Amino acid sequence: MIRLVGVVLAVVGAVVLWSGLKARDSLAERATELFTGRNTDKTTLYLAGGGGALAGGILLVLFGGGGRKRR
């Protein structure tokens, strides 16, 4: 069950990360970066949140719930 949650979390994280990468390449984002020198808060949240969810999901798939049950 924990590994299934990890797979779902990894897929959702990959989609959010991909959305953040696509948003970073938009014309409005490039103009904002040109004038302010940084990405918008929304794009930064997509990139950080998506990357964190993807990493957490991968860790759950690799290390979550595979051992014997303790009594």
Side-chain angles (χ1 to χ4, degrees), residues 6-66:
V7 169
V8 171
L9 188 63
V11 169
V12 170
V15 169
V16 172
L17 181 62
W18 181 76
S19 297
L21 290 172
K22 293 298 279 184
R24 194 175 75 177
D25 291 335
S26 71
L27 183 61
E29 186 70 28
R30 287 179 186 242
T32 301
E33 188 176 359
L34 178 68
F35 290 116
T36 63
R38 59 188 175 103
N39 293 327
T40 60
D41 293 339
K42 185 176 179 181
T43 302
T44 303
L45 183 63
Y46 280 164
L47 292 172
L54 179 62
I58 290 172
L59 288 174
L60 278 177
V61 168
L62 292 177
F63 301 113

